Amino acid sequence: MSFFKRLKDKLMGNPAEEEKLQDVEAEQDTDQQALEENEPAAIETDVVEVAKQLEEALENESKQATEPPVIVEDQQEVQELTIIEEEPVEEKKPSAWSITQKFKAGLEKTRNSFTSKVNDLVARYRKVDEDFFEELEDLLLQADVGFETVMELMDKLRFEVQRKNIKDTNGIQAVISEKLVEIYEQGEEDLIELNMQPVGELTVILFVGVNGVGKTTTIGKLAHRLKSQGKTVVLAAGDTFRAGAIDQLQVWGDRVGCEVIKQSEGSDPAAVMYDAIRAAKNRKADVLICDTAGRLQNKVNLMNELEKVHRVISREIPNAPHEVLLALDATTGQNALVQAQTFKEATNVTGIVLTKLDGTAKGGIVLAIRNKLHIPVKFVGLGEKMDDLQPFDAERYVYGLFAEGLDKELQNSED
């Protein structure tokens, strides 16, 4: 029951906060109505004021031919007043439910293949026995959950079924969901939070990953996300070898409104990072996001290059980079694990960004990465839109896998 309550609160949001929002909106409506009632009198007063201003303007024009202009300070004051009157419009934050729907839509392919098979399995087996567990094990392996994760899940499920004396398969999806969340979280908190530095200090985020995984696109989307939070972001075009990589990053920089520090193709990536750090400091930027090359076919040179880049960054800013995010293509399945292991050996990878999760039917790779490599998945790509890069959330992820079955269980838990 506690799992369902936690899941429901996360999916739907906090009802108390919704009520506060409604109260604020009601107050704003009342203020707007009062302004509309006083509008005729205000317009009449404005007409008189405008007439006076016109008379004064005509008198000033006649004096301009003989008197030197002395209105610079007045213009500055008017500009300052204008700036003060313009209040920044606060961007609407997405609701808990809208974020949950992104996970549900992004995991549709995995859900259609994996969950439909689980539903068929539950329909065929009325009782939870060893045959049921063996077929469920095969389904999880086919979804790229990973051998070690599946074995751990099977042990937990068998123990839970025995502890609760579960005989039939009704509600078994809820038990599977709860155990998957437990396996992913492993008692750790704030796994998805970026290691942002205090206000006034530069946060350096280094992106690594092979070519073709959507690394540059992900950098652009993350820059957009950070800018929407009010941060000043600078991008460093460190992938100087792939044809068009610098131009691609520049396009994203123009799109999201971020400055891109770059050099010519074929230049030393470490030199680009040096220039980018100096530029970010001079501009008092909050975040510097660094792109890097991804030529895995030239593994030795690539890893040496990444180590050199890491040294340059840490020399200029102690304890930097503060995040090393590895971009992995979810559609590559188990091959993503091999890439992750390779990059982990060369750099201190602090988090995974799993791209194209909406394009694969094997979304279980999220669990395999977390459980085998002990590296948290910090962001997932759930679509092509600018805001489809979402912080990973284990409970929303599991809901995306078992949406239809869990919706029924959530309703039953309320009755």
Side-chain angles (χ1 to χ4, degrees):
M1 188 69 176
S2 60
F3 172 74
F4 282 123
K5 185 178 186 306
R6 183 175 61 166
L7 185 61
K8 184 175 182 297
D9 288 345
K10 182 158 283 188
L11 297 184
M12 303 297 185
N14 189 342
E17 293 297 326
E18 294 291 336
E19 289 178 6
K20 288 180 183 177
L21 182 61
Q22 291 174 0
D23 292 341
V24 171
E25 289 175 350
E27 290 178 5
Q28 291 175 346
D29 291 341
T30 304
D31 294 341
Q32 182 64 28
Q33 186 177 358
L35 286 172
E36 289 174 358
E37 290 175 355
N38 296 328
E39 190 173 0
I43 291 174
E44 187 176 348
T45 304
D46 290 342
V47 169
V48 175
E49 290 295 328
V50 169
K52 288 181 179 179
Q53 291 174 7
L54 285 173
E55 290 178 5
E56 292 175 359
L58 289 172
E59 291 178 3
N60 290 334
E61 285 180 4
S62 63
K63 293 178 181 179
Q64 280 179 356
T66 56
E67 295 181 5
V70 288
I71 58 171
V72 176
E73 293 183 359
D74 293 338
Q75 288 178 349
Q76 290 177 347
E77 289 177 3
V78 170
Q79 289 175 355
E80 290 175 0
L81 287 171
T82 305
I83 293 171
I84 292 171
E85 289 174 359
E86 291 179 356
E87 295 182 358
V89 179
E90 186 177 350
E91 184 173 337
K92 268 192 165 183
K93 292 184 179 179
S95 65
W97 181 243
S98 68
I99 296 173
T100 301
Q101 290 300 98
K102 284 185 181 293
F103 274 85
K104 183 178 179 181
L107 288 162
E108 183 178 1
K109 287 188 177 181
T110 300
R111 187 169 62 253
N112 289 343
S113 63
F114 170 66
T115 312
S116 60
K117 292 176 182 177
V118 173
N119 290 336
D120 292 341
L121 179 64
V122 171
R124 285 189 290 109
Y125 284 87
R126 296 297 179 186
K127 294 182 179 180
V128 179
D129 54 20
E130 195 57 33
D131 291 336
F132 171 83
F133 282 126
E134 287 182 4
E135 286 204 36
L136 177 61
E137 182 179 310
D138 291 338
L139 291 179
L140 290 166
L141 289 172
Q142 291 171 23
D144 268 355
V145 173
F147 181 77
E148 292 87 351
T149 310
V150 171
M151 293 300 102
E152 183 178 350
L153 176 61
M154 289 298 105
D155 290 341
K156 287 180 177 291
L157 283 176
R158 286 186 175 94
F159 177 79
E160 194 71 9
V161 166
Q162 185 177 5
R163 186 178 72 86
K164 293 184 177 179
N165 196 25
I166 298 173
K167 299 296 184 184
D168 56 49
T169 55
N170 290 331
I172 193 66
Q173 289 190 30
V175 179
I176 297 171
S177 303
E178 185 174 3
K179 295 307 165 187
L180 286 174
V181 172
E182 287 180 5
I183 288 174
Y184 185 88
E185 292 181 343
Q186 299 288 348
E188 299 181 41
E189 296 180 357
D190 297 326
L191 292 173
I192 63 171
E193 294 297 325
L194 291 175
N195 181 25
M196 303 299 292
Q197 299 307 291
V199 177
E201 295 183 20
L202 179 64
T203 299
V204 181
I205 300 175
L206 183 66
F207 262 84
V208 298
V210 301
N211 294 334
V213 298
K215 179 159 43 67
T216 306
T217 299
T218 302
I219 289 172
K221 290 181 177 180
L222 180 59
H224 168 72
R225 182 178 186 86
L226 293 171
K227 279 210 69 177
S228 67
Q229 296 171 1
K231 299 185 184 301
T232 304
V233 182
V234 173
L235 307 181
D239 187 356
T240 59
F241 294 97
R242 181 171 65 88
I246 297 174
D247 293 335
Q248 185 184 2
L249 189 65
Q250 183 64 63
V251 168
W252 272 104
D254 296 339
R255 187 177 178 186
V256 301
C258 295
E259 183 178 0
V260 178
I261 307 301
K262 57 187 179 181
Q263 293 185 12
S264 59
E265 285 190 14
S267 57
D268 185 2
V272 177
M273 299 306 168
Y274 178 82
D275 289 346
I277 291 173
R278 289 299 178 91
K281 285 181 175 179
N282 291 337
R283 291 153 180 74
K284 300 188 184 303
D286 299 307
V287 183
L288 172 64
I289 305 179
C290 305
D291 192 9
T292 60
R295 309 178 314 283
L296 195 59
Q297 66 273 18
N298 196 359
K299 178 181 171 182
V300 175
N301 289 343
L302 173 62
M303 297 309 163
N304 289 339
E305 178 185 298
L306 290 177
E307 289 173 0
K308 182 179 177 182
V309 166
H310 199 286
R311 286 197 306 271
V312 169
I313 293 174
S314 59
R315 186 181 65 207
E316 295 300 313
I317 302 177
N319 301 320
H322 306 100
E323 288 282 359
V324 179
L325 300 181
L326 171 61
L328 295 176
D329 184 345
T331 62
T332 60
Q334 291 294 312
N335 188 42
L337 282 173
V338 178
Q339 294 176 21
Q341 189 65 49
T342 303
F343 279 96
K344 186 180 179 183
E345 292 170 1
T347 59
N348 181 27
V349 177
T350 59
I352 303 290
V353 180
L354 200 59
T355 67
K356 309 176 189 179
L357 189 59
D358 59 310
T360 180
K362 296 187 175 183
I365 191 65
V366 175
L367 294 159
I369 289 170
R370 173 73 184 116
N371 208 40
K372 187 170 183 178
L373 300 177
H374 304 288
I375 302 173
V377 176
K378 297 208 171 187
F379 291 94
V380 288
L382 299 172
E384 297 297 327
K385 295 180 181 177
M386 192 87 79
D387 60 348
D388 283 339
L389 181 71
Q390 289 292 326
F392 178 75
D393 183 279
E395 289 168 352
R396 287 193 173 97
Y397 164 77
V398 168
Y399 170 77
L401 291 178
F402 299 97
E404 288 77 11
L406 285 178
D407 284 341
K408 294 179 182 178
E409 291 295 327
L410 285 168
Q411 289 177 356
N412 293 335
S413 69
E414 293 175 349
D415 297 339

